[in-house]
Amino acid sequence: MTKRFSFDLKATDGKARTGVINTPRGEVRTPAFMPVGTAATVKAMMPESVRATGADILLGNTYHLMLRPTAERIDRLGGLHKFMNWERPILTDSGGFQVMSLAGLRKLTEKGVTFKSHIDGSKHELTPERSIEIQRLLGSDIVMCFDECPALPADRERIAESMRLSMRWAERSREAFGDRPGHALFGIMQGGLEQDLREESAEALRKIGFEGYAVGGLAVGEGQEAMFGCLDYAPDFLPVDKPRYLMGVGKPDDIVGAVARGIDMMDCVLPSRSGRTGQAFTRHGVVNIKNARHADDPRPLDENCSCPACSNYSRAYLHHVFRSNEMISGMLLTWHNLHYFQEIMQGMRDAIAAGTFEAWQAEFHAQRAQGDI
Ligand SMILES: O=c1[nH]cnc2cc3nc(NCc4cccs4)[nH]c3cc12
């Protein structure tokens, strides 16, 4: 890994930015959407198909991979890129969030978290040091600090304590990461919806120094209005010359609103998870393809979409294969949703570069009918 990790800001339009993250495994065009590849696969997609949708980078989950097949086994087999046949950049999260939302019998202390596997009940421990080691064994290009995301609703004192624990863990994560040219460690800002705690968290992270900064603690049920309210100030507390990553977001209009407020990268299970359940995102709104009204509809999902599902199949066919629970159903709709999410990202990158982001946003919202179509 001789080449370095760097972020080139190309243009801004209002608070929106477009640029390129340079890594030894390839470039990531921002604003970027990362498909989620939880257990070393973007579910229902071949890696080459994920690339065909326009993705430059994937997300991998430390929690899932440490339990099965374990980070040591993936390391012995040449690392996650080789293992899952995706040679472009991979960002791995640190596992803390999944432990709190998936594992059983969790015990949280200053040291870290002990928990029981949701797969077989075996006991495990995650600490900043262990999380960073797991992400190194996986060969991750962008490593996330081990943090604690407080469950909401929580009172201000709990949010402050949790944030300060995460900042101490960020220090330990930085220490454990060591010197890995071409690789990046991102800090994660916490602080709930409290502006002063968000600023305190950002200051703590800047003092430690990271190659990128995530806004954590959002998309945990607070709703779009509260999330946007926080994003109206939180990104501005972060360094302007480093990537800003909003974790776990989101629906198309969440993504557009976040980019308009200065976010550069996002990840969400929504397009892939909902693709498997028959929910299609289109420029005119959401289509629930299992609904009986699609049974005889010869039209494509979206006339303006060039993905394989829209190019080669009718709504009637998609309806049929979902109703028959055929495997191709999840494959086609996942491909469509990921293609559409990447089309939104490309549209924003072009508009920000051209200085027409306002107009692009107006068109994006005007096209979307209310409710199902
Ligand atoms: O503060 C965080 N720290 C580390 N990982 C996260 C992941 C996150 N994912 C969501 N929302 C999407 C969700 C996925 C599953 C349940 S909510 N919010 C998130 C916040 C954090």
Side-chain angles (χ1 to χ4, degrees):
M1 292 289 168
T2 49
K3 279 168 54 189
R4 313 295 297 171
F5 179 96
S6 65
F7 178 48
D8 300 331
L9 209 47
K10 302 281 187 201
T12 60
D13 187 345
K15 296 178 91 172
R17 302 129 55 93
T18 185
V20 177
I21 299 173
N22 305 291
T23 84
R25 285 200 168 88
E27 297 182 348
V28 179
R29 297 162 291 173
T30 68
F33 179 80
M34 299 184 278
V36 175
T38 295
T41 158
V42 176
K43 293 181 179 10
M45 296 286 286
M46 298 283 284
E48 47 270 40
S49 306
V50 175
R51 178 58 184 163
T53 66
D56 291 335
I57 180 171
L58 294 186
L59 180 138
N61 287 119
T62 289
Y63 170 77
H64 296 79
L65 294 171
M66 71 182 278
L67 298 179
R68 183 175 55 188
T70 78
E72 285 71 15
R73 171 168 288 141
I74 290 178
D75 177 45
R76 286 196 302 272
L77 292 161
L80 183 56
H81 295 81
K82 187 166 183 297
F83 189 56
M84 70 181 288
N85 188 31
W86 172 267
E87 288 302 336
R88 288 180 174 275
I90 295 176
L91 178 149
T92 48
D93 70 8
S94 57
F97 185 83
Q98 276 72 29
V99 166
M100 301 319 271
S101 50
L102 287 170
L105 217 66
R106 305 174 299 268
K107 190 167 177 303
L108 174 68
T109 66
E110 181 70 31
K111 184 172 186 258
V113 186
T114 57
F115 60 93
K116 286 180 74 170
S117 161
H118 73 288
I119 297 170
D120 61 13
S122 54
K123 283 190 180 318
H124 296 266
E125 179 184 50
L126 264 182
T127 64
E129 294 77 14
R130 176 62 179 147
S131 173
I132 297 302
E133 183 191 30
I134 288 170
Q135 296 178 76
R136 183 185 55 75
L137 287 167
L138 295 174
S140 169
D141 301 284
I142 300 180
V143 171
M144 299 308 293
C145 280
F146 187 68
D147 69 331
E148 210 252 328
C149 174
L152 291 184
D155 62 32
R156 188 184 147 80
E157 242 346 274
R158 164 92 181 81
I159 289 171
E161 263 168 49
S162 171
M163 179 271 286
R164 288 165 189 151
L165 173 64
S166 287
M167 296 304 100
R168 294 192 295 276
W169 284 359
E171 183 84 62
R172 286 167 55 189
S173 298
R174 179 87 266 178
E175 188 60 33
F177 184 77
D179 181 24
R180 295 185 62 212
H183 299 77
L185 178 66
F186 280 22
I188 305 178
M189 177 208 268
Q190 292 293 346
L193 300 177
E194 308 291 327
Q195 183 160 349
D196 59 335
L197 297 181
R198 285 278 174 186
E199 186 159 21
E200 178 186 328
S201 179
E203 280 318 301
L205 294 177
R206 294 176 72 130
K207 215 166 278 152
I208 299 165
F210 292 97
E211 292 70 73
Y213 296 81
V215 179
L218 294 177
V220 286
E222 74 280 1
Q224 187 183 82
E225 190 183 346
M227 180 174 78
F228 282 174
C230 182
L231 292 177
D232 283 338
Y233 58 77
D236 299 329
F237 295 148
L238 297 172
V240 70
D241 61 340
K242 296 284 190 303
R244 298 154 176 178
Y245 163 31
L246 175 59
M247 307 184 85
V249 173
K251 299 192 305 313
D253 50 328
D254 295 332
I255 289 171
V256 173
V259 168
R261 291 169 173 79
I263 294 296
D264 303 307
M265 306 161 68
M266 280 161 278
D267 82 276
C268 193
V269 294
L270 188 64
S272 36
R273 183 176 292 172
S274 54
R276 296 194 302 280
T277 67
Q279 186 173 58
F281 290 90
T282 79
R283 74 199 74 243
H284 301 301
V286 176
V287 176
N288 285 303
I289 200 64
K290 287 186 191 171
N291 188 302
R293 61 197 173 85
H294 302 297
D296 291 295
D297 193 335
R299 296 173 307 157
L301 201 51
D302 181 342
E303 276 91 354
N304 304 310
C305 181
S306 61
C307 85
C310 294
S311 307
N312 307 314
Y313 302 93
S314 63
R315 288 177 179 219
Y317 178 77
L318 293 170
H319 175 80
H320 161 68
V321 289
F322 265 99
R323 283 295 182 101
S324 325
N325 206 17
E326 285 295 337
M327 284 185 244
I328 195 172
S329 60
M331 292 163 65
L332 287 173
L333 226 40
T334 300
W335 193 321
H336 166 78
N337 283 348
L338 290 175
H339 175 100
Y340 174 58
F341 272 52
Q342 293 300 340
E343 194 180 273
I344 293 171
M345 306 318 290
Q346 186 61 58
M348 291 196 285
R349 294 192 290 260
D350 292 344
I352 296 163
T356 59
F357 188 49
E358 274 300 313
W360 186 91
Q361 282 185 90
E363 174 61 15
F364 170 83
H365 288 292
Q367 283 183 344
R368 307 176 75 71
Q370 299 315 320
D372 271 10
I373 52 173

